[in-house]
Amino acid sequence: MAAHARWTEADIPDQTGRTVFVTGANSGLGLRMSEVLAGKGARVLLGCRSPERGAKALDQVRAAATGEAPELVRLDLADIDSVREAAKKVQELTGGKLDVLVNNAGVMATPRGHTKDGFETQFGTNHLGHAVLTWLLMPSLRNGSGARVVTLSSVAATGARIDIADPNFERRMYNPGSAYGQSKLSNQVFALELDRRLRAAGDDVISVAAHPGYTWTGLGSGMARSYRNPVVRALVAGGNRIGEIFIAQNARQGTLPQLFAATSPEAEGGDYIGPRGLGGLRGAPVKVRPLAAARSESLGAALWDVTTKLTGVTPDPA
């Protein structure tokens, strides 16, 4: 993008006739994205864990919709069986044709815990659940028009590392921030590895990564350790109102990178989209350089393989 460009919601092309599945659509970035895309004419499927919160979000998105009515899909990314059921439901609702999958949902800096399948909570929810969902929905995406997968990473991925030998913290000491950073780095690595494999397979589907910078969603304290600037880190950790006003973006601004990734004709496979200003914490969306780990083909292949082994799901593309 040109240095002077300031992409906004007004730049989103008409989405009439397109079907989008957004995970974590009951609040925050996912809800805002669902409302915007529905308002642009897209048929939006809301992936939500809680039926009650999902129903409330569905009402909001329905009120914004200008095209086909949105629908709710129950999805618990911490349960592979639920992921399978959600993918099946999406295929039924769409007739096997999906244009955009947005891997948006996530948990942040949680205490030590495990998913239903025994994976560390953050790695299992943020990465493994989304990877399985993406693989299962690939046939539907291939039937879509200009289809793309958008996967959300985070500034917390900076400085993080993926321990391929111990991704579930079974041997090393558990740290909530390190586990969160690993999960969000995994999202970025997976997004680029997926695109490499899609290109190698000759697919038309593209994979794009994005991150929202520092967006105020009430989860700031969990993000504190991801910022290297001690002033920013202190403001975020304390939930300081000054930090909220002068550093954080609201959900409307924070959603722009993933909206760009999901809709802009300028977005290409393997791109990483994030805010342009304040060290990537806020600003208009632009293409930014993926982390070195995400550009590593060897790490991408290793993460792909361990994801397959842990989940028992056959990857698509292989």
Side-chain angles (χ1 to χ4, degrees):
M1 297 175 68
H4 64 275
R6 292 191 63 84
W7 193 89
T8 70
E9 289 178 4
D11 296 304
I12 298 175
D14 180 28
Q15 297 296 296
T16 300
R18 293 180 69 73
T19 301
V20 183
F21 181 35
V22 181
T23 71
N26 63 277
S27 64
L29 300 175
L31 177 56
R32 175 63 190 174
M33 184 174 199
S34 297
E35 289 179 302
V36 171
L37 293 178
K40 292 288 184 176
R43 179 192 185 193
V44 180
L45 308 181
L46 289 76
C48 303
R49 181 177 58 180
S50 165
E52 295 77 17
R53 292 195 297 270
K56 184 177 179 180
L58 183 64
D59 287 340
Q60 288 184 235
V61 178
R62 186 182 290 122
T66 59
E68 286 192 61
E71 299 194 56
L72 191 62
V73 176
R74 189 177 185 285
L75 169 65
D76 183 353
L77 289 161
D79 179 352
I80 298 300
D81 285 339
S82 175
V83 174
R84 289 183 181 277
E85 287 300 314
K88 182 179 178 181
K89 183 66 173 179
V90 170
Q91 291 166 340
E92 292 173 354
L93 290 172
T94 63
K97 178 183 178 297
L98 182 66
D99 300 300
V100 184
L101 168 61
V102 184
N103 291 324
N104 164 82
V107 293
M108 179 187 295
T110 58
R112 184 179 182 87
H114 298 87
T115 68
K116 183 179 178 181
D117 303 286
F119 308 127
E120 185 277 313
T121 300
Q122 297 182 83
F123 184 71
T125 303
N126 297 352
H127 167 62
L128 295 178
H130 277 130
V132 170
L133 182 67
T134 301
W135 290 340
L136 295 177
L137 287 176
M138 194 54 63
S140 295
L141 287 160
R142 289 196 180 96
N143 290 331
S145 175
R148 54 184 75 181
V149 178
V150 177
T151 302
L152 261 68
S153 183
S154 167
V155 291
T158 304
R161 63 181 288 267
I162 301 171
D163 189 333
I164 293 295
D166 187 28
N168 290 303
F169 288 82
E170 295 169 322
R171 294 188 291 276
R172 51 185 167 144
M173 182 177 295
Y174 180 77
N175 177 278
S178 297
Y180 180 66
Q182 175 183 254
S183 73
K184 299 314 291 182
L185 178 57
S186 295
N187 287 147
Q188 192 179 149
V189 171
F190 176 80
L192 269 66
E193 178 64 16
L194 173 62
D195 196 74
R196 281 191 286 266
R197 293 185 182 239
L198 288 168
R199 301 287 71 75
D203 277 305
D204 292 329
V205 183
I206 66 171
S207 174
V208 185
H211 80 87
Y214 173 25
T215 299
W216 192 260
T217 60
L219 298 176
S221 60
M223 294 183 67
R225 58 182 57 82
S226 70
Y227 299 117
R228 294 181 176 179
N229 185 306
V231 176
V232 174
R233 189 163 59 243
L235 288 171
V236 175
N240 193 298
R241 183 64 179 171
I242 296 175
E244 179 183 352
I245 293 173
F246 293 104
I247 299 175
Q249 303 191 109
N250 57 32
R252 181 182 186 121
Q253 295 171 305
T255 308
L256 290 178
Q258 65 199 71
L259 283 169
F260 179 95
T263 68
S264 174
E266 294 184 51
E268 300 175 302
D271 279 348
Y272 187 34
I273 313 299
R276 67 186 300 170
L278 201 60
L281 295 183
R282 61 178 296 131
V286 294
K287 296 183 181 184
V288 296
R289 186 170 173 78
L291 294 172
R295 304 194 306 270
S296 168
E297 294 186 18
S298 60
L299 180 59
L303 179 64
W304 193 271
D305 289 344
V306 77
T307 300
T308 302
K309 292 174 183 176
L310 289 171
T311 63
V313 177
T314 302
D316 184 2

